[in-house]
Amino acid sequence: MRIDLHTHPTAADGPDSPGDLVRAAGAAELDIVAITDHDTTAGWAEAVAALPPGLALVRGMEMSCEGRGEDGRPVAVHLLAYLFDPAH
């Protein structure tokens, strides 16, 4: 099984549209691909519409968060989250 759970189409900082990204994942013979744009779900609908047969899509997002280091100073953290309900 071939899986990529961390991809960025153009809604984040990637070079490909969500449709082009899932088509490329299909051409690369992946079984599962996740769309994980930064702080947005905007690419999900286009990815679903272009999904090639045999490729499963995981709806995800890379969320920007802020934590605190041991010294109390802010630290940027990117949290990957998966399996959102697209109706919510």
Side-chain angles (χ1 to χ4, degrees):
M1 180 156 295
R2 297 181 56 170
I3 301 170
D4 188 342
L5 294 177
H6 188 188
T7 69
H8 295 297
T10 51
D13 54 4
D16 299 318
S17 71
D20 287 343
L21 189 146
V22 296
R23 284 187 286 275
E29 299 181 356
L30 292 181
D31 298 296
I32 301 170
V33 67
I35 297 289
T36 53
D37 280 320
H38 291 276
D39 303 313
T40 184
T41 62
W44 292 353
E46 182 182 340
V48 168
L51 200 62
L55 180 64
L57 178 69
V58 174
R59 291 173 176 91
M61 182 190 318
E62 186 169 343
M63 295 182 276
S64 298
C65 304
E66 185 177 284
R68 297 281 172 192
E70 290 181 13
D71 61 1
R73 295 171 69 182
V75 176
V77 178
H78 291 170
L79 175 67
L80 288 166
Y82 302 97
L83 303 174
F84 289 87
D85 181 342
H88 291 259

